[in-house]
Amino acid sequence: MGQWNSTPSEIHEDEPFLLYKEQLQQERMMELQNQWLERTNAMEIAWSREFVRYYGAFCAVSTVGLCVGAFQRRRLVLLAPLVPLGCVLTYQLDQVYGTLRGRVRGETAPSVLLPRVISCRSVFKSSLSSYSRGRPPVYSKWRQRDSWGQSEPNWAHQEGT
């Protein structure tokens, strides 16, 4: 019953092989993840296209019915529901067959994410600067009495004792 022991020199000799093996595994994982994302996007687009077909048929039937009813009764108010129906159909068509996804990824997403990153950094910097002055960030700003009438501890005073 032998125990397999390896010396540090044997481990060092196997290091390039182990690094190569790890790199191969990471590449395969990335490839599988990309394939999974592509399939997920393809399923979303296929579902959206199917939805547009049914919604388009509903809009067409509604448009014909509302137009016939409005002209027979001479009440143009019956055409009002066509405005939101047309807007939703236009949005869905742009999402499925147009360039909405590309515009959202290219223009909107970075402009939404960038201010959040900047604001998080500024909050983090302000909390670090209060630590550098010798007091915790939260308690240094609010040294008011709590509901029991006791004051918050003075952190700067406790550090000196």
Side-chain angles (χ1 to χ4, degrees):
M1 313 296 163
Q3 184 178 1
W4 187 73
N5 292 328
S6 60
T7 62
S9 63
E10 291 174 358
I11 293 174
H12 185 68
E13 290 172 2
D14 289 342
E15 188 174 346
F17 174 71
L18 293 175
L19 290 174
Y20 172 74
K21 190 175 176 181
E22 182 180 341
Q23 182 183 5
L24 243 151
Q25 184 179 8
Q26 287 179 350
E27 287 175 0
R28 288 178 185 159
M29 287 175 59
M30 288 174 56
E31 185 177 337
L32 286 173
Q33 185 178 10
N34 286 338
Q35 287 177 357
W36 180 74
L37 286 173
E38 287 175 2
R39 288 179 184 161
T40 304
N41 286 339
M43 285 296 292
E44 287 179 10
I45 291 172
W47 184 87
S48 296
R49 286 182 179 176
E50 192 67 23
F51 176 77
V52 164
R53 286 186 190 122
Y54 285 105
Y55 189 73
F58 168 74
C59 285
V61 170
S62 298
T63 302
V64 170
L66 288 172
C67 286
V68 167
F71 291 127
Q72 282 181 351
R73 295 191 175 110
R74 301 204 190 276
R75 296 184 66 195
L76 295 179
V77 176
L78 293 176
L79 297 177
L82 293 179
V83 174
L85 288 175
C87 290
V88 172
L89 182 63
T90 304
Y91 173 79
Q92 291 291 331
L93 286 170
D94 188 27
Q95 182 182 9
V96 175
Y97 297 107
T99 59
L100 179 68
R101 287 179 186 253
R103 290 194 314 261
V104 167
R105 283 189 192 127
E107 298 171 7
T108 311
S111 66
V112 169
L113 292 176
L114 186 62
R116 287 187 183 173
V117 171
I118 290 172
S119 66
C120 291
R121 286 182 182 166
S122 63
V123 168
F124 185 67
K125 279 184 177 180
S126 68
S127 65
L128 283 180
S129 64
S130 63
Y131 264 122
S132 65
R133 289 187 294 250
R135 57 185 191 258
V138 176
Y139 294 110
S140 64
K141 294 180 183 175
W142 299 286
R143 291 187 183 169
Q144 300 173 353
R145 297 189 180 274
D146 61 2
S147 61
W148 294 98
Q150 299 173 352
S151 62
E152 290 287 326
N154 187 350
W155 297 99
H157 179 66
Q158 288 181 356
E159 287 176 4
T161 59

